[in-house]
Amino acid sequence: MKPFNKLCNATINKLVVDDFPGPQINVRRGDTASITVRNNEGYNVTIHWHGLSQRKNSWSDGPEYITQCPIHPKSEFTYEIKFEDEEGTLWWHAHSDWVRATVHGALVVKPAEGTTYPFDEPADDFVIILGEWYNRDMNSTVIDTLEIGGDPDKSDSYTINGFPGPQDNCPSESAYNITVIHGKTYLLRIVNAAMNEEMFFGIQDHNITVVGQDGAYIKPIDTSYIMITPGQTMDVLLKADRPLGSYYMVASAFFDSLAPYDTNVTSGVVHYSGESAVSPSPSPATDNFPVYPSFLPRVKAREAADDFTKRIRFQETPQLPMDVPQEIDERIFITVSVNELPCEKNNSCGAGPNDNSRHYASLNNISLLTPRRDILDAYYNNFIANAPSPAPLPFDTDFPAFPPTTFDYTGADLSEANMLGTKVLMIEYGKNVEIVFQGTNIGNPENHPMHLHGYSFYLVGTGCGNFYTDDPNYHHDYNLVDPPKVNTIGVPKGGWAAIRFKADNPGVWFMHCHLERHASWGMAGVLIVKNGEQEDQKMNGPPSGGMPKC
């Protein structure tokens, strides 16, 4: 733990080598890395390598009690990472409780030796990590809040590379800044590491060109802003073509819901070399800018968010070809809901929407109950190594592929019977899979950034309302030509999103909402892709050095 001065306050938080964000990891596609994580703090921790397929190697994927037991205080674990399938910007973060609020950093995967970008080489690149800052140790705070079924506090500010920028409650707060040379083009590697907010991002008086998302290239998009969900990454070209001076880079929330959220705006500075280092005009402290910067959409501008995301198309390269499944073998339909459960008898609860309830969230009516023995170890020993433990399995294999009850998912006055459970969905190796995530209007509806470990998948369609309709002749207009290949997608409020992938990566893979409060309430599940028949279609065994013990 280290005290950090942010927002004119000293706050003690967990950090990596005393940095916030943590260290940047730079590799090339095709590299292999061994990364040892030493836990010197009082909390358990695991690290997830967000967006990496970890092909056949769930053992180094990281989610706590899903693929490993935590790294306990004063102990360490070495992750074996292969950078095989992705190229561009990804990130790493803690995957235990809310530790990732301050334990995260960028993964920069440059083209393999002898290859290059599908665009002109930039003069330089800058990592831009959008985060949230809390004036307290959120891990212990959240544990207490969840005990009584409550809604964790919203953050005190957003940050750009750890800097909030000037705020109303702390006008002297520092801002992150970069220096550019007029006429040059720069690659901005943008990560949304925020805990609970989708974000708009833009640069004053500049257009930008988006060329990558989630470790894959996309067809260039010229725009004045992006909308990026928690968990997503984007590669953006900035041409320094404006008059010499200093310009704001700004991030603000996109939040189309009635739930509480952080209303602050965070700003940094793009400074042109050759100009004295002065703040842009007008100044945030004196003119209340950029509380509502004119070059960004407003907080609830759903149409602007949709207009941006619908423009994203996959850019095929010789090294990263298109392989979207044209036909499917297995369709899975998952409702995504925020709900409540009644308090158990004699339990100190009641911080939910009603006096005798607690917040819960679910996939297909199941709120994930986190086990205390990791699922991967139990699956491998019982189903692959034929070395069953006398202890009962920490999971059931009956996660429903369709909702237990059908209803008008996006109608009004809805309720569903949630249940707690640790259930996995088993998928045969080699199947072409389609998953439709259906948003519901239960509780407090909003966008849900859904993330699947172990796979980059194709977002083949999104829409408003219910995916299934009463019209037997209605069909959805999928994009099977150049859909974006991503690892995190936004399920629109009151709508649906359809993804496709080939189940060719055997192992145990976590699937969850990347809004941390929703994941904490149980909006998560587990996919197990079985081994194939050939030797190269089977998951690896555990590392020779062993795994952390529960």
Side-chain angles (χ1 to χ4, degrees):
M1 294 287 192
K2 176 184 177 180
F4 248 55
N5 285 306
K6 301 285 183 189
L7 302 178
C8 301
N9 280 285
T11 303
I12 294 180
N13 266 307
K14 189 167 188 172
L15 305 168
V16 182
V17 293
D18 291 340
D19 283 337
F20 172 63
Q24 177 178 318
I25 298 172
N26 299 292
V27 297
R28 289 193 177 271
R29 185 164 180 253
D31 286 351
T32 299
S34 295
I35 303 174
T36 298
V37 176
R38 170 76 181 174
N39 184 3
N40 290 326
E41 302 295 351
Y43 292 131
N44 291 336
V45 72
T46 64
I47 300 294
H48 171 53
W49 315 94
H50 187 114
L52 289 177
S53 63
Q54 301 285 39
R55 190 157 293 279
K56 301 191 298 181
N57 188 29
S58 298
W59 306 100
S60 283
D61 191 47
E64 187 178 55
Y65 295 114
I66 305 299
T67 61
Q68 71 169 94
C69 298
I71 305 169
H72 298 294
K74 310 307 177 187
S75 61
E76 65 184 36
F77 176 63
T78 298
Y79 293 90
E80 301 293 338
I81 312 295
K82 290 186 177 180
F83 299 88
E84 297 179 276
D85 302 324
E86 299 80 24
E87 187 171 302
T89 306
L90 298 169
W91 64 305
W92 59 266
H93 60 81
H95 215 304
S96 40
D97 297 320
W98 278 45
V99 178
R100 83 166 176 89
T102 51
V103 178
H104 59 254
L107 277 171
V108 173
V109 186
K110 294 192 173 182
E113 292 287 353
T115 68
T116 188
Y117 303 107
F119 45 83
D120 291 340
E121 186 89 17
D124 202 352
D125 58 356
F126 299 99
V127 168
I128 305 291
I129 298 181
L130 309 179
E132 291 184 83
W133 180 258
Y134 298 84
N135 278 334
R136 55 211 170 280
D137 174 16
M138 273 306 289
N139 205 53
S140 57
T141 302
V142 166
I143 290 171
D144 293 342
T145 302
L146 294 178
E147 285 268 335
I148 58 173
D151 190 352
D153 293 342
K154 62 183 185 291
S155 58
D156 294 289
S157 75
Y158 302 114
T159 59
I160 296 176
N161 284 355
F163 294 90
Q167 303 287 324
D168 286 344
N169 62 350
C170 186
S172 62
E173 180 61 74
S174 299
Y176 175 73
N177 67 87
I178 62 175
T179 299
V180 299
I181 297 173
H182 191 275
K184 302 287 188 180
T185 298
Y186 297 86
L187 178 59
L188 306 184
R189 300 178 176 276
I190 303 173
V191 178
N192 187 350
M195 300 296 280
N196 289 305
E197 263 73 60
E198 297 172 300
M199 305 291 287
F200 288 120
F201 174 87
I203 299 174
Q204 183 183 15
D205 294 342
H206 288 72
N207 272 357
I208 52 180
T209 303
V210 189
V211 293
Q213 181 179 7
D214 284 6
Y217 296 113
I218 67 171
K219 294 176 179 178
I221 300 172
D222 292 324
T223 179
S224 60
Y225 68 92
I226 64 171
M227 196 287 285
I228 183 169
T229 74
Q232 285 183 338
T233 61
M234 290 187 183
D235 294 324
V236 172
L237 295 176
L238 167 66
K239 187 170 184 179
D241 58 359
R242 305 303 295 166
L244 295 185
S246 296
Y247 300 84
Y248 280 113
M249 65 174 95
V250 180
S252 65
F254 163 57
F255 199 80
D256 187 16
S257 175
L258 298 177
Y261 71 98
D262 185 345
T263 60
N264 290 301
V265 170
T266 182
S267 62
V269 177
V270 177
H271 173 69
Y272 277 67
S273 178
E275 190 75 2
S276 59
V278 296
S279 296
S281 180
S283 161
T286 58
D287 295 274
N288 207 28
F289 180 88
V291 174
Y292 294 108
S294 60
F295 53 91
L296 283 188
R298 294 300 180 101
V299 169
K300 295 186 180 294
R302 168 164 296 281
E303 186 175 342
D306 290 345
D307 285 348
F308 172 74
T309 55
K310 288 177 179 177
R311 296 173 65 190
I312 300 173
R313 297 286 185 267
F314 181 73
Q315 174 68 63
E316 189 172 32
T317 69
Q319 294 77 32
L320 299 167
M322 167 71 69
D323 57 352
V324 59
Q326 299 296 307
E327 304 292 336
I328 60 171
D329 304 309
E330 183 168 356
R331 173 174 283 136
I332 300 164
F333 185 77
I334 297 178
T335 53
V336 183
S337 304
V338 174
N339 208 337
E340 60 182 290
L341 282 177
C343 298
E344 301 86 353
K345 289 183 179 179
N346 303 319
N347 187 14
S348 57
C349 180
N354 297 302
D355 289 341
N356 194 36
S357 70
R358 62 169 59 246
H359 287 282
Y360 268 100
S362 64
L363 301 177
N364 275 355
N365 299 47
I366 309 296
S367 291
L368 180 70
L369 187 62
T370 303
R372 283 297 172 258
R373 175 189 171 198
D374 73 277
I375 291 173
L376 173 59
D377 178 72
Y379 167 70
Y380 183 82
N381 286 319
N382 284 271
F383 290 84
I384 296 178
N386 294 316
S389 165
L393 284 174
F395 62 88
D396 298 313
T397 58
D398 58 349
F399 183 91
F402 283 81
T405 305
T406 59
F407 56 94
D408 180 6
Y409 306 112
T410 56
D413 301 321
L414 302 177
S415 64
E416 64 177 355
N418 270 20
M419 65 173 291
L420 292 170
T422 308
K423 298 177 180 291
V424 306
L425 180 62
M426 308 291 286
I427 297 176
E428 297 293 331
Y429 181 90
K431 295 290 187 182
N432 288 331
V433 179
E434 178 177 294
I435 300 179
V436 176
F437 294 102
Q438 174 69 64
T440 72
N441 280 355
I442 297 169
N444 205 343
E446 58 184 288
N447 277 23
H448 297 286
M450 298 302 299
H451 172 51
L452 175 61
H453 294 216
Y455 286 89
S456 290
F457 48 78
Y458 292 95
L459 176 61
V460 296
T462 61
C464 297
N466 295 332
F467 178 82
Y468 289 109
T469 72
D470 294 331
D471 183 354
N473 298 315
Y474 182 80
H475 70 278
H476 294 293
D477 225 0
Y478 278 0
N479 174 11
L480 298 178
V481 177
D482 55 359
K485 190 174 187 179
V486 293
N487 59 64
T488 306
I489 51 107
V491 180
K493 173 185 174 182
W496 57 269
I499 68 171
R500 287 187 177 185
F501 61 94
K502 187 178 184 66
D504 59 359
N505 190 13
V508 174
W509 305 113
F510 201 32
M511 173 179 65
H512 61 96
C513 180
H514 227 281
L515 300 182
E516 204 65 27
R517 68 181 187 280
H518 291 176
S520 298
W521 293 337
M523 191 177 285
V526 179
L527 303 184
I528 294 182
V529 177
K530 298 180 182 179
N531 279 348
E533 295 182 0
Q534 306 300 319
E535 202 56 39
D536 63 354
Q537 298 173 346
K538 301 180 188 300
M539 66 174 289
N540 298 341
S544 58
M547 296 291 293
K549 302 298 183 185
C550 290

